[in-house]
Amino acid sequence: MTSTVQPWGFSDTEKANKGILVDFQNSLFARANIKFNNQLEPYPRVIQDIEKGDADIAVMFVSPQAERIAHSLGFVLNERIVIVVKAGSKKYRSLDDFNGQNIGQVRGSKYGQAFDTHPGITRVALTDVEQGLKMLLAGRLDAMASTEHSLLFAMYSAGIDAAAVQLALPLFTARADLYVAHHALQAEWVKPLRQTLEAMRRDGSLTKALYQHKYWPYDSYCFSGGDCLSGHQVSGD
């Protein structure tokens, strides 16, 4: 299963699966010589299907819930969760600096207890990141919270000038692992898949798949001030 969040997983106009995680998984399974069927679902459904036994494997953020329903086969990437504002805005040092402001977030997203429960900010649920960025630039939001990959992808795909959006505050860094459901842990394909993932980390192909991807020019598309993706090389366990 792959989460339907751009640019990780989505369907094109011909209903073909596209995205960074889709391509990573295609490369992983092809290199391990293992046949597989990839289905795209919203992230909560991915977790649900792993727990119910309707899916065998997925990339999920490391959390007590993920550890309860599945077993990690290894590190995939670290992803920063950040808040962005219009370029030229004041400096932000903590969430308290956003008191009285409206911050957009994709509906259903969780960005840590400090953000999710902060009493001084108003969290505005949105359909997608692109909608939030357009509202931000139009003055209908004060800020937008999301992952770096999703923000930069939305800026690039919507044709938003990179210099118009400023990285205001990193919230935290979330780690994502490749998880196998407990019911599938003894399957014969588990060991070669784990070994292949380790090999991709060692030879740099994992970094290339996640940070040098064809969906936008990673090395030149950044936030205002030259703030680019934090993970130009994968690091993990």
Side-chain angles (χ1 to χ4, degrees), residues 25-218:
Q25 290 158 339
N26 288 342
S27 297
L28 175 71
F29 279 86
R31 186 163 168 173
N33 196 28
I34 298 170
K35 294 181 179 180
F36 76 109
N37 175 45
N38 194 3
Q39 296 184 33
L40 272 59
E41 297 286 356
Y43 190 61
R45 176 66 182 273
V46 172
I47 295 173
Q48 181 183 15
D49 283 358
I50 288 287
E51 183 173 19
K52 290 170 56 181
D54 293 336
D56 300 312
I57 197 162
V59 174
M60 298 189 293
F61 286 120
V62 174
S63 67
Q65 182 182 30
E67 297 293 328
R68 177 178 59 83
I69 65 174
H71 178 82
S72 172
L73 296 186
F75 171 86
V76 174
L77 84 158
N78 286 320
E79 178 76 352
R80 282 204 305 178
I81 313 299
V82 301
I83 298 177
V84 297
V85 295
K86 291 175 68 172
S89 299
K90 69 175 186 177
K91 298 295 183 181
Y92 292 85
R93 294 177 176 83
S94 72
L95 280 172
D96 290 341
D97 292 334
F98 290 94
N99 280 336
Q101 296 191 6
N102 297 316
I103 304 180
Q105 66 180 109
V106 175
R107 184 173 289 105
S109 298
K110 302 293 183 182
Y111 295 139
Q113 185 175 3
F115 177 85
D116 296 339
T117 62
H118 195 285
I121 60 178
T122 299
R123 289 159 289 274
V124 181
L126 305 168
T127 302
D128 53 44
V129 176
E130 185 174 322
Q131 178 191 15
L133 288 171
K134 290 179 177 178
M135 290 175 65
L136 171 67
L137 295 178
R140 296 169 58 198
L141 285 175
D142 298 298
M144 179 68 193
S146 186
T147 66
E148 280 186 292
H149 269 93
S150 293
L151 285 163
L152 287 170
F153 181 84
M155 289 163 59
Y156 175 70
S157 61
I160 295 172
D161 185 355
V165 180
Q166 174 181 320
L167 199 158
L169 186 70
L171 291 173
F172 65 96
T173 298
R175 168 176 165 156
D177 281 18
L178 183 67
Y179 280 94
V180 60
H182 289 314
H183 76 267
L185 191 55
Q186 302 305 316
E188 60 181 12
W189 48 262
V190 170
K191 182 177 179 180
L193 202 62
R194 179 190 292 114
Q195 292 173 336
T196 302
L197 178 60
E198 293 171 354
M200 290 182 69
R201 281 205 303 271
R202 288 195 303 267
D203 67 16
S205 56
L206 186 58
T207 296
K208 184 176 181 180
L210 299 171
Y211 295 101
Q212 299 162 17
H213 199 274
K214 65 184 179 183
Y215 284 110
W216 73 87
Y218 286 80

Side-chain angles (χ1 to χ4, degrees), residues 20 23 163 193:
I20 294 176
D23 286 357
L193 202 62

